[in-house]
Structure formats: C-alpha cells, structure tokens
Short mmCIF file of all heavy atoms in Angstrom, two decimals:
data_model
loop_
_atom_site.label_atom_id
_atom_site.label_comp_id
_atom_site.label_asym_id
_atom_site.label_seq_id
_atom_site.Cartn_x
_atom_site.Cartn_y
_atom_site.Cartn_z
N ILE A 271 23.78 12.89 32.35
CA ILE A 271 23.74 14.18 33.01
C ILE A 271 23.78 13.95 34.51
O ILE A 271 23.03 13.15 35.05
CB ILE A 271 22.50 15.01 32.58
CG1 ILE A 271 22.52 16.39 33.22
CG2 ILE A 271 21.20 14.25 32.88
CD1 ILE A 271 21.54 17.36 32.58
N THR A 272 24.70 14.63 35.18
CA THR A 272 24.89 14.44 36.61
C THR A 272 23.86 15.23 37.40
O THR A 272 23.07 16.00 36.85
CB THR A 272 26.30 14.87 37.04
OG1 THR A 272 26.40 16.30 36.92
CG2 THR A 272 27.36 14.20 36.18
N THR A 273 23.89 15.01 38.72
CA THR A 273 23.00 15.76 39.60
C THR A 273 23.28 17.26 39.50
O THR A 273 22.37 18.07 39.72
CB THR A 273 23.14 15.30 41.05
OG1 THR A 273 24.49 15.45 41.48
CG2 THR A 273 22.73 13.84 41.19
N GLY A 274 24.52 17.62 39.20
CA GLY A 274 24.89 19.02 39.06
C GLY A 274 24.69 19.59 37.68
O GLY A 274 24.95 20.79 37.47
N GLY A 275 24.26 18.77 36.72
CA GLY A 275 23.97 19.26 35.39
C GLY A 275 25.09 19.09 34.38
O GLY A 275 24.94 19.54 33.23
N SER A 276 26.20 18.47 34.76
CA SER A 276 27.27 18.21 33.81
C SER A 276 26.84 17.12 32.84
O SER A 276 26.24 16.12 33.24
CB SER A 276 28.55 17.81 34.52
OG SER A 276 29.02 18.86 35.35
N THR A 277 27.17 17.27 31.56
CA THR A 277 26.72 16.35 30.53
C THR A 277 27.89 15.65 29.86
O THR A 277 29.01 16.16 29.83
CB THR A 277 25.88 17.06 29.47
OG1 THR A 277 26.66 18.11 28.87
CG2 THR A 277 24.63 17.66 30.09
N ASN A 278 27.60 14.48 29.30
CA ASN A 278 28.56 13.71 28.55
C ASN A 278 27.82 13.00 27.42
O ASN A 278 26.71 12.51 27.63
CB ASN A 278 29.28 12.70 29.43
CG ASN A 278 30.38 11.97 28.70
OD1 ASN A 278 31.33 12.56 28.23
ND2 ASN A 278 30.25 10.64 28.61
N TYR A 279 28.44 12.96 26.23
CA TYR A 279 27.80 12.39 25.06
C TYR A 279 28.69 11.37 24.39
O TYR A 279 29.92 11.51 24.37
CB TYR A 279 27.46 13.47 24.04
CG TYR A 279 26.48 14.51 24.52
CD1 TYR A 279 26.92 15.67 25.14
CD2 TYR A 279 25.12 14.33 24.34
CE1 TYR A 279 26.03 16.62 25.58
CE2 TYR A 279 24.21 15.28 24.77
CZ TYR A 279 24.67 16.43 25.40
OH TYR A 279 23.78 17.37 25.83
N ALA A 280 28.06 10.35 23.82
CA ALA A 280 28.79 9.46 22.93
C ALA A 280 29.25 10.23 21.71
O ALA A 280 28.58 11.16 21.25
CB ALA A 280 27.90 8.29 22.51
N ASP A 281 30.42 9.86 21.18
CA ASP A 281 30.96 10.56 20.02
C ASP A 281 29.97 10.56 18.85
O ASP A 281 29.91 11.53 18.08
CB ASP A 281 32.27 9.92 19.58
CG ASP A 281 33.41 10.20 20.55
OD1 ASP A 281 33.31 11.16 21.34
OD2 ASP A 281 34.41 9.46 20.50
N SER A 282 29.21 9.50 18.71
CA SER A 282 28.32 9.36 17.57
C SER A 282 27.16 10.35 17.58
O SER A 282 26.53 10.57 16.53
CB SER A 282 27.77 7.93 17.51
OG SER A 282 27.07 7.61 18.70
N VAL A 283 26.87 10.96 18.73
CA VAL A 283 25.73 11.88 18.81
C VAL A 283 26.13 13.30 19.18
O VAL A 283 25.27 14.19 19.21
CB VAL A 283 24.68 11.37 19.81
CG1 VAL A 283 24.26 9.95 19.48
CG2 VAL A 283 25.18 11.48 21.25
N LYS A 284 27.41 13.54 19.44
CA LYS A 284 27.86 14.88 19.80
C LYS A 284 27.51 15.88 18.71
O LYS A 284 27.72 15.64 17.53
CB LYS A 284 29.37 14.89 20.05
CG LYS A 284 29.78 14.30 21.38
CD LYS A 284 31.29 14.36 21.57
CE LYS A 284 31.70 13.75 22.89
NZ LYS A 284 33.17 13.72 23.05
N GLY A 285 26.98 17.01 19.13
CA GLY A 285 26.59 18.05 18.20
C GLY A 285 25.20 17.88 17.64
O GLY A 285 24.69 18.81 16.99
N ARG A 286 24.58 16.72 17.85
CA ARG A 286 23.24 16.47 17.33
C ARG A 286 22.20 16.28 18.42
O ARG A 286 21.04 16.65 18.25
CB ARG A 286 23.24 15.23 16.42
CG ARG A 286 24.17 15.35 15.22
CD ARG A 286 23.98 14.17 14.25
NE ARG A 286 24.32 12.89 14.88
CZ ARG A 286 23.46 11.88 15.02
NH1 ARG A 286 22.22 11.99 14.56
NH2 ARG A 286 23.85 10.75 15.59
N PHE A 287 22.59 15.66 19.54
CA PHE A 287 21.68 15.38 20.64
C PHE A 287 21.99 16.30 21.82
O PHE A 287 23.15 16.67 22.05
CB PHE A 287 21.83 13.93 21.12
CG PHE A 287 21.34 12.89 20.14
CD1 PHE A 287 20.99 13.20 18.84
CD2 PHE A 287 21.23 11.56 20.56
CE1 PHE A 287 20.56 12.24 17.95
CE2 PHE A 287 20.79 10.59 19.69
CZ PHE A 287 20.45 10.92 18.38
N THR A 288 20.95 16.63 22.59
CA THR A 288 21.10 17.44 23.79
C THR A 288 20.32 16.81 24.93
O THR A 288 19.11 16.60 24.81
CB THR A 288 20.61 18.88 23.56
OG1 THR A 288 21.31 19.46 22.46
CG2 THR A 288 20.87 19.71 24.81
N ILE A 289 21.01 16.51 26.03
CA ILE A 289 20.36 15.96 27.21
C ILE A 289 20.13 17.08 28.21
O ILE A 289 20.95 17.99 28.35
CB ILE A 289 21.21 14.82 27.83
CG1 ILE A 289 20.44 14.10 28.94
CG2 ILE A 289 22.55 15.33 28.32
CD1 ILE A 289 21.15 12.85 29.46
N SER A 290 19.01 17.02 28.91
CA SER A 290 18.70 18.01 29.93
C SER A 290 17.82 17.38 30.99
O SER A 290 17.30 16.27 30.81
CB SER A 290 18.02 19.25 29.32
OG SER A 290 16.80 18.90 28.70
N ARG A 291 17.66 18.08 32.10
CA ARG A 291 16.80 17.58 33.16
C ARG A 291 16.10 18.73 33.86
O ARG A 291 16.63 19.85 33.93
CB ARG A 291 17.60 16.74 34.19
CG ARG A 291 18.63 17.53 34.97
CD ARG A 291 19.55 16.60 35.76
NE ARG A 291 18.84 15.90 36.81
CZ ARG A 291 19.30 14.83 37.45
NH1 ARG A 291 20.50 14.33 37.12
NH2 ARG A 291 18.58 14.26 38.40
N ASP A 292 14.92 18.46 34.37
CA ASP A 292 14.14 19.41 35.14
C ASP A 292 13.81 18.73 36.45
O ASP A 292 12.88 17.92 36.52
CB ASP A 292 12.88 19.83 34.38
CG ASP A 292 12.12 20.94 35.07
OD1 ASP A 292 12.28 21.13 36.29
OD2 ASP A 292 11.35 21.64 34.39
N ASN A 293 14.57 19.05 37.49
CA ASN A 293 14.38 18.37 38.77
C ASN A 293 13.02 18.67 39.40
O ASN A 293 12.47 17.83 40.10
CB ASN A 293 15.51 18.74 39.73
CG ASN A 293 16.84 18.14 39.33
OD1 ASN A 293 16.90 17.23 38.52
ND2 ASN A 293 17.92 18.65 39.91
N ALA A 294 12.50 19.86 39.16
CA ALA A 294 11.19 20.21 39.70
C ALA A 294 10.09 19.34 39.11
O ALA A 294 9.07 19.10 39.76
CB ALA A 294 10.89 21.68 39.46
N LYS A 295 10.28 18.88 37.87
CA LYS A 295 9.30 18.02 37.21
C LYS A 295 9.69 16.55 37.23
O LYS A 295 8.96 15.72 36.68
CB LYS A 295 9.10 18.47 35.76
CG LYS A 295 8.52 19.85 35.62
CD LYS A 295 8.31 20.21 34.15
CE LYS A 295 7.68 21.57 34.01
NZ LYS A 295 7.47 21.95 32.59
N SER A 296 10.83 16.22 37.84
CA SER A 296 11.34 14.85 37.87
C SER A 296 11.36 14.24 36.48
O SER A 296 10.95 13.09 36.27
CB SER A 296 10.50 13.98 38.83
OG SER A 296 10.63 14.43 40.16
N THR A 297 11.86 15.01 35.52
CA THR A 297 11.84 14.60 34.13
C THR A 297 13.18 14.88 33.47
O THR A 297 13.80 15.93 33.71
CB THR A 297 10.72 15.31 33.36
OG1 THR A 297 9.47 15.03 33.98
CG2 THR A 297 10.67 14.84 31.92
N MET A 298 13.63 13.94 32.64
CA MET A 298 14.83 14.09 31.83
C MET A 298 14.42 14.10 30.37
O MET A 298 13.45 13.44 29.98
CB MET A 298 15.80 12.94 32.10
CG MET A 298 17.04 12.96 31.22
SD MET A 298 18.15 11.56 31.52
CE MET A 298 17.11 10.18 31.08
N TYR A 299 15.18 14.82 29.55
CA TYR A 299 14.85 14.99 28.15
C TYR A 299 16.04 14.65 27.27
O TYR A 299 17.19 14.75 27.67
CB TYR A 299 14.42 16.42 27.85
CG TYR A 299 13.31 16.93 28.73
CD1 TYR A 299 13.59 17.66 29.88
CD2 TYR A 299 11.98 16.69 28.41
CE1 TYR A 299 12.57 18.13 30.69
CE2 TYR A 299 10.96 17.15 29.21
CZ TYR A 299 11.26 17.88 30.35
OH TYR A 299 10.24 18.35 31.15
N LEU A 300 15.74 14.27 26.05
CA LEU A 300 16.76 14.10 25.02
C LEU A 300 16.22 14.70 23.73
O LEU A 300 15.29 14.15 23.13
CB LEU A 300 17.12 12.63 24.82
CG LEU A 300 18.26 12.36 23.82
CD1 LEU A 300 19.58 12.87 24.39
CD2 LEU A 300 18.36 10.88 23.48
N GLN A 301 16.81 15.80 23.31
CA GLN A 301 16.46 16.41 22.04
C GLN A 301 17.39 15.87 20.97
O GLN A 301 18.62 16.00 21.09
CB GLN A 301 16.57 17.94 22.11
CG GLN A 301 16.26 18.65 20.80
CD GLN A 301 14.83 18.42 20.34
OE1 GLN A 301 13.91 18.45 21.14
NE2 GLN A 301 14.66 18.17 19.04
N MET A 302 16.84 15.26 19.95
CA MET A 302 17.60 14.61 18.90
C MET A 302 17.35 15.35 17.58
O MET A 302 16.22 15.39 17.09
CB MET A 302 17.22 13.14 18.76
CG MET A 302 17.37 12.35 20.06
SD MET A 302 17.00 10.59 19.85
CE MET A 302 15.25 10.67 19.49
N ASP A 303 18.41 15.91 17.02
CA ASP A 303 18.35 16.62 15.76
C ASP A 303 19.23 15.93 14.73
O ASP A 303 20.10 15.15 15.08
CB ASP A 303 18.79 18.07 15.93
CG ASP A 303 17.94 18.87 16.90
OD1 ASP A 303 16.71 18.71 16.87
OD2 ASP A 303 18.51 19.65 17.68
N SER A 304 19.00 16.25 13.47
CA SER A 304 19.79 15.69 12.37
C SER A 304 19.89 14.17 12.47
O SER A 304 20.97 13.59 12.37
CB SER A 304 21.19 16.32 12.35
OG SER A 304 21.11 17.72 12.20
N LEU A 305 18.76 13.53 12.65
CA LEU A 305 18.74 12.10 12.88
C LEU A 305 19.20 11.32 11.65
O LEU A 305 18.94 11.72 10.51
CB LEU A 305 17.34 11.65 13.29
CG LEU A 305 16.99 11.95 14.75
CD1 LEU A 305 15.48 11.90 14.96
CD2 LEU A 305 17.69 10.96 15.67
N LYS A 306 19.88 10.22 11.92
CA LYS A 306 20.41 9.34 10.90
C LYS A 306 19.78 7.96 11.04
O LYS A 306 19.33 7.59 12.12
CB LYS A 306 21.93 9.21 11.03
CG LYS A 306 22.69 10.52 11.03
CD LYS A 306 24.17 10.27 11.30
CE LYS A 306 24.95 11.56 11.30
NZ LYS A 306 26.40 11.33 11.58
N PRO A 307 19.76 7.17 9.96
CA PRO A 307 19.26 5.79 10.08
C PRO A 307 19.97 4.99 11.16
O PRO A 307 19.35 4.13 11.80
CB PRO A 307 19.51 5.20 8.69
CG PRO A 307 19.45 6.38 7.78
CD PRO A 307 20.05 7.52 8.56
N GLU A 308 21.25 5.27 11.40
CA GLU A 308 22.02 4.58 12.42
C GLU A 308 21.54 4.88 13.83
O GLU A 308 21.93 4.19 14.78
CB GLU A 308 23.51 4.94 12.32
CG GLU A 308 24.11 4.72 10.94
CD GLU A 308 24.00 5.94 10.05
OE1 GLU A 308 24.91 6.79 10.10
OE2 GLU A 308 22.99 6.04 9.31
N ASP A 309 20.71 5.90 14.00
CA ASP A 309 20.14 6.22 15.31
C ASP A 309 18.95 5.34 15.66
O ASP A 309 18.44 5.42 16.79
CB ASP A 309 19.72 7.69 15.37
CG ASP A 309 20.89 8.64 15.23
OD1 ASP A 309 21.95 8.38 15.83
OD2 ASP A 309 20.74 9.65 14.51
N THR A 310 18.48 4.55 14.72
CA THR A 310 17.33 3.67 14.96
C THR A 310 17.65 2.69 16.09
O THR A 310 18.63 1.95 16.02
CB THR A 310 16.96 2.91 13.69
OG1 THR A 310 16.52 3.83 12.69
CG2 THR A 310 15.84 1.91 13.97
N ALA A 311 16.83 2.70 17.13
CA ALA A 311 17.06 1.85 18.30
C ALA A 311 15.92 2.04 19.28
O ALA A 311 15.10 2.94 19.13
CB ALA A 311 18.40 2.20 18.98
N VAL A 312 15.89 1.18 20.28
CA VAL A 312 15.05 1.41 21.45
C VAL A 312 15.87 2.24 22.42
O VAL A 312 16.99 1.88 22.77
CB VAL A 312 14.59 0.10 22.11
CG1 VAL A 312 13.78 0.39 23.35
CG2 VAL A 312 13.78 -0.73 21.12
N TYR A 313 15.31 3.36 22.84
CA TYR A 313 16.00 4.28 23.74
C TYR A 313 15.48 4.08 25.16
O TYR A 313 14.27 4.10 25.41
CB TYR A 313 15.79 5.72 23.30
CG TYR A 313 16.65 6.09 22.11
CD1 TYR A 313 16.39 5.56 20.85
CD2 TYR A 313 17.75 6.94 22.25
CE1 TYR A 313 17.19 5.86 19.77
CE2 TYR A 313 18.55 7.25 21.17
CZ TYR A 313 18.27 6.72 19.93
OH TYR A 313 19.07 7.03 18.86
#
C-alpha cells in the first residue's frame, strides 16, 4: 500500500486479503479471509 493508499496484491491472495493503513495510528493492517493451508507462513 502506497503513501496515497493505492494497493497491490499477489495473485495468490487477491479477493481474500485486504491491506489497509491508518496514518494517524502509524499502523498497517492485513485482513485475511478464506484462509488456506498454503497461507501458512511467517508474515
């Protein structure tokens, strides 16, 4: 996610994951839905 809020996703997670940011809280988020065993990893 860019400073302007534009997002880009790997093909493997498109439609399932959502990236967002809250600049006031200096925090970035990743909402992961419909998780698969292949998503197992250190993030």
Side-chain angles (χ1 to χ4, degrees):
I271 183 166
T272 69
T273 58
S276 298
T277 59
N278 185 61
Y279 297 91
D281 288 341
S282 59
V283 307
K284 284 181 181 176
R286 300 188 298 120
F287 291 10
T288 304
I289 189 172
S290 61
R291 65 191 294 165
D292 187 338
N293 289 345
K295 296 182 178 180
S296 295
T297 302
M298 176 182 62
Y299 306 95
L300 184 68
Q301 178 62 42
M302 305 183 293
D303 299 319
S304 302
L305 282 162
K306 306 174 180 179
E308 306 90 88
D309 297 317
T310 296
V312 177
Y313 283 71

